[in-house]
Amino acid sequence: GLFFWHLKNTGIPCHFVHLCRVANDRLITFQYFNFLKRMYVTQCNKDLSQRAKPKSDSVASPFRDLQQLDQEKKVIHKIRPISPVHQPLSETSIRNEVREMKSAAETEDSVTPVRAESKEDRQWKEMKLQLKDLPGILARLSKIKLTALVVSTASAGFAMAPVPFDLTCFLIASLGTGLASCAANSINQFFEVPFDSNMNRTKNRPLVRGQISPLLAVCFAASCGVPGIALLTLGVNPLTGALGAFNIFLYTCCYTPLKRMSIANTWVGAVVGAIPPVMGWTAATGSLDAGALLLGGILYSWQFPHFNALSWGLREDYSRGGYCMMSVTHPGLCRRVALRHCLALLGLSAVAPLLDITTWTFPIISLPINLYISYLGFRFYRDADRSSSRKLFFCSLWHLPLLLLVMFTCKKSFLEKEDKGDLLGESHGRAMEIRLP
Amino acid sequence: PPAHSHNDWIGPPDKHSNLRPVIFYVSPEESPLERRLREARQEAQACDQRFWARHNRAFRQEKEEFIYSRLKAKGLKMRDETGQKATLNAEEMADFYKDFLSKNFRKHMQYNRDWYKRNFTITYLMGQVALARALRWLRWKKKNVGN
């Protein structure tokens, strides 16, 4: 049950607080705050924690929840002075909620909106676009959190490239990638309205709820995609622009329809996720080196344990929604592939120093985390149950940012490389001069 | 929706189809193009509603039957001593999910094709209507400015 706290403004001490008209016209409950806070912590304790297949919808972005939390924080003070009578009741229900939450981790971002908005959901709404809601709506349409993570992988690619750091180029590349990602995500949502309505995880998306018309969604996508790709092509280099355009195409025209046709969608989606760091690298260097491919490879391999573990808990929704996912149709393959790619991560990390991207410290330092995820991958392979899939999924959330961070700290210094590959000249100065674009 | 409203209204998700019904506003000065758009949207809504209501109903029914048959095979009853509904765990349900997905594959393929076609048509019509409205507004503006 929901507890409503109504505070009368007459000044008569009362044990209830009326919380309507908070930010978005929602009746919020005390439990909901706890819920949100816990959810906030699990989802966002690392800024890259919601890494899904970038440009895929395997993890929705409850940006709205974050907004709510900020705005409702002020209101939480009013709630504190509650009569002790109500405390035990709310605590038990909070405990129930927590238990429920534990068993529905993958749909966590849908449980809270359901709780808080179930009242609002039952109402009829006018389909008129409110300008003040537009930023929030567009943020959800473009899956802004996912976009942010995509941009950060691209930045990682940029940072790992063995060239002097160019700030303007970096910013332009990041902006272009972000716009391209917004466009791709919007088109994805445009294509998937009835399917999203039927899945718990995605049923609160703007197009599903009629907050925005499909026409507007397409226009928004175009107005993000075209400048984004133009920015990349003209402001950075044509190769990055081409990769960006290709990735949008791959995601919207290959991955999205393929999700309902064949399990091959997972591999396509992994490529979609692997391209942004490659784009970052090509933005910096202007060419597709082995290093770019290695970085792409690491992200490609990472997608599998991440997504396969996530999809393990969504089998019912996928089955009913008509999505062809390995976890439903080929469960054995699902787990094998996840394990295989955990091990591949180990291998790829070891290759990094051979390609002069990092020093030998990288495979050594990253060994523990790679071994850990491989261990969880093995457990998932062997046990094939909910708890092992969840463990693997949550591990993947911190594994990737940590790996990229370690990689960056172990990056082979620019000058060091000049020392080694000294065919260009004796002095550092001369070598640097030639290297600069 | 209130009588004075000039917009469409969208409601809560339908119990069976999970889709949100829309009540379309019929303007007294509706142009033929706008009428085509509205009718396309109404038809699409009806198709989607039919499909998903039937599909979800079938899913629930088949799921019940599956659970029942599995429980029977195990020698258990639908409800245990405490009156709680007996359920199978996720791994046992996995067989059902796989089966259901493959059984309905053809149906989904057909629906996908139809959905994409309808979606594109409606969005294109929306674009046309928006353009027509914009031109009309510009003409009206020019006329007013001229006066």
Side-chain angles (χ1 to χ4, degrees):
Chain A
L2 296 167
F3 287 87
F4 294 92
W5 308 95
H6 304 277
L7 176 75
K8 297 209 183 74
N9 294 330
T10 57
I12 300 168
C14 185
H15 298 305
F16 301 107
V17 177
H18 186 54
L19 295 177
C20 61
R21 305 278 161 255
V22 183
N24 297 321
D25 291 11
R26 258 171 231 137
L27 283 165
I28 309 294
T29 67
F30 182 65
Q31 293 162 281
Y32 179 50
F33 288 131
N34 281 356
F35 226 145
L36 254 191
K37 273 201 285 204
R38 259 182 229 125
M39 202 183 85
Y40 192 84
V41 167
T42 43
Q43 280 185 346
C44 310
N45 53 7
K46 296 261 156 59
D47 62 348
L48 292 175
S49 63
Q50 272 226 343
R51 289 304 315 289
K53 274 193 291 211
K55 298 192 187 179
S56 82
D57 63 350
S58 54
V59 176
S61 52
F63 179 78
R64 185 184 69 258
D65 294 341
L66 288 179
Q67 254 184 342
Q68 258 179 355
L69 186 62
D70 289 339
Q71 286 152 338
E72 269 108 72
K73 260 199 178 87
K74 336 186 216 317
V75 191
I76 213 168
H77 297 301
K78 278 197 224 151
I79 315 277
R80 293 257 180 271
I82 310 165
S83 100
V85 175
H86 294 283
Q87 286 279 36
L89 278 171
S90 63
E91 273 178 33
T92 11
S93 25
I94 290 173
R95 243 180 282 128
N96 287 338
E97 304 292 9
V98 174
R99 222 184 306 132
E100 237 186 307
M101 196 181 120
K102 288 212 175 93
S103 65
E106 284 85 88
T107 56
E108 60 200 13
D109 63 321
S110 64
V111 175
T112 12
V114 165
R115 292 255 176 283
E117 296 170 6
S118 57
K119 191 79 181 199
E120 195 186 65
D121 253 5
R122 286 197 286 261
Q123 297 165 349
W124 280 77
K125 295 258 190 52
E126 192 172 11
M127 280 176 92
K128 186 174 159 162
L129 186 65
Q130 309 281 7
L131 239 58
K132 64 174 167 73
D133 293 334
L134 195 62
I137 291 174
L138 291 180
R140 266 173 292 151
L141 186 67
S142 60
K143 298 191 219 168
I144 197 103
K145 277 175 73 179
L146 193 57
T147 298
L149 298 168
V150 168
V151 170
S152 51
T153 47
S155 321
F158 195 98
M160 288 307 299
V163 288
F165 184 75
D166 180 348
L167 185 66
T168 21
C169 187
F170 174 73
L171 291 173
I172 297 177
S174 302
L175 184 62
T177 309
L179 288 172
S181 172
C182 287
N185 289 332
S186 307
I187 297 289
N188 170 267
Q189 291 199 19
F190 167 70
F191 281 161
E192 302 255 285
V193 179
F195 314 117
D196 282 345
S197 325
N198 273 281
M199 293 192 35
N200 271 319
R201 201 170 52 85
T202 52
K203 62 188 180 191
N204 286 308
R205 290 186 168 170
L207 281 169
V208 171
R209 294 171 70 188
Q211 292 173 313
I212 194 175
S213 79
L215 180 68
L216 209 55
V218 173
C219 291
F220 173 70
S223 62
C224 283
V226 170
I229 299 298
L231 206 60
L232 289 173
T233 317
L234 304 169
V236 180
N237 58 56
L239 178 60
T240 315
L243 281 171
F246 176 65
N247 214 16
I248 295 181
F249 166 75
L250 206 60
Y251 183 57
T252 56
C253 303
C254 299
Y255 170 70
T256 303
L258 216 54
K259 278 202 309 198
R260 309 184 57 78
M261 297 203 278
S262 135
I263 59 172
N265 69 75
T266 313
W267 282 266
V268 173
V271 174
V272 171
I275 289 185
V278 176
M279 281 169 66
W281 183 288
T282 59
T285 64
S287 64
L288 263 177
D289 317 310
L293 296 175
L294 178 79
L295 218 54
I298 287 183
L299 251 94
Y300 177 80
S301 285
W302 177 83
Q303 306 291 341
F304 291 98
H306 177 82
F307 181 69
N308 287 359
L310 173 68
S311 70
W312 198 257
L314 300 174
R315 281 178 288 179
E316 171 161 5
D317 273 354
Y318 283 148
S319 165
R320 189 166 55 88
Y323 284 108
C324 298
M325 299 293 176
M326 270 194 280
S327 58
V328 182
T329 57
H330 297 79
L333 179 69
C334 179
R335 301 188 323 268
R336 266 200 311 276
V337 164
L339 179 61
R340 211 184 289 163
H341 284 272
C342 287
L343 300 171
L345 283 170
L346 273 163
L348 286 168
S349 304
V351 170
L354 295 172
L355 295 174
D356 257 356
I357 303 170
T358 66
T359 58
W360 275 102
T361 52
F362 175 60
I364 296 170
I365 301 179
S366 65
L367 193 66
I369 52 176
N370 284 336
L371 279 178
Y372 184 61
I373 198 175
S374 303
Y375 166 68
L376 289 180
F378 176 70
R379 286 289 299 275
F380 177 50
Y381 173 72
R382 197 191 55 185
D383 301 339
D385 63 359
R386 203 180 174 89
S387 84
S388 55
S389 72
R390 285 185 51 222
K391 281 211 195 86
L392 180 60
F393 172 71
F394 284 118
C395 173
S396 72
L397 294 180
W398 58 256
H399 170 271
L400 184 71
L402 200 55
L403 189 71
L404 291 176
L405 196 64
V406 171
M407 199 182 206
F408 182 65
T409 53
C410 296
K411 178 181 175 186
K412 201 159 225 175
S413 150
F414 191 48
L415 295 169
E416 245 179 68
K417 282 173 60 165
E418 295 312 305
D419 268 348
K420 295 248 174 83
D422 224 285
L423 302 158
L424 303 164
E426 300 301 320
S427 72
H428 288 207
R430 229 182 330 142
M432 286 236 327
E433 225 172 77
I434 296 169
R435 265 307 185 106
L436 283 170
Chain B
H4 62 77
S5 165
H6 286 267
N7 290 303
D8 303 330
W9 282 70
I10 192 165
D14 177 83
K15 204 157 61 102
H16 298 292
S17 68
N18 294 316
L19 302 173
R20 289 171 182 261
V22 178
I23 293 182
F24 298 98
Y25 167 67
V26 190
S27 154
E29 325 155 327
E30 197 180 45
S31 70
L33 189 66
E34 288 172 354
R35 201 191 53 170
R36 254 175 59 205
L37 171 64
R38 181 176 54 85
E39 288 175 352
R41 290 173 75 191
Q42 278 167 330
E43 194 198 316
Q45 185 168 272
C47 281
D48 287 340
Q49 172 70 18
R50 259 199 316 267
F51 177 83
W52 286 104
R54 204 172 51 192
H55 180 77
N56 290 341
R57 234 195 315 267
F59 181 81
R60 265 192 283 271
Q61 207 175 330
E62 290 183 31
K63 186 175 172 189
E64 286 293 318
E65 288 171 5
F66 177 81
I67 292 179
Y68 181 68
S69 66
R70 275 294 169 96
L71 283 173
K72 214 158 75 144
K74 291 212 286 197
L76 300 166
K77 291 216 247 298
M78 276 301 286
R79 285 179 194 275
D80 63 17
E81 304 81 43
T82 63
Q84 288 258 1
K85 221 164 158 205
T87 51
L88 301 172
N89 69 27
E91 303 319 311
E92 291 166 323
M93 292 307 299
D95 291 330
F96 167 68
Y97 297 142
K98 176 174 175 177
D99 204 39
F100 187 82
L101 190 64
S102 37
K103 271 212 307 247
N104 287 279
F105 184 73
R106 192 63 79 56
K107 206 167 76 169
H108 278 295
M109 285 294 103
Q110 183 62 38
Y111 175 75
N112 289 350
R113 261 195 294 271
D114 293 340
W115 153 251
Y116 271 78
K117 212 162 48 185
R118 282 199 302 266
N119 199 20
F120 278 123
T121 319
I122 288 174
T123 310
Y124 182 65
L125 279 171
M126 278 183 171
Q128 282 184 310
V129 165
L131 203 63
R133 283 199 190 137
L135 288 171
R136 234 192 346 239
W137 181 81
L138 277 171
R139 250 178 269 140
W140 173 87
K141 206 61 195 301
K142 215 163 72 171
K143 199 167 67 172
N144 275 17
V145 167
N147 286 352

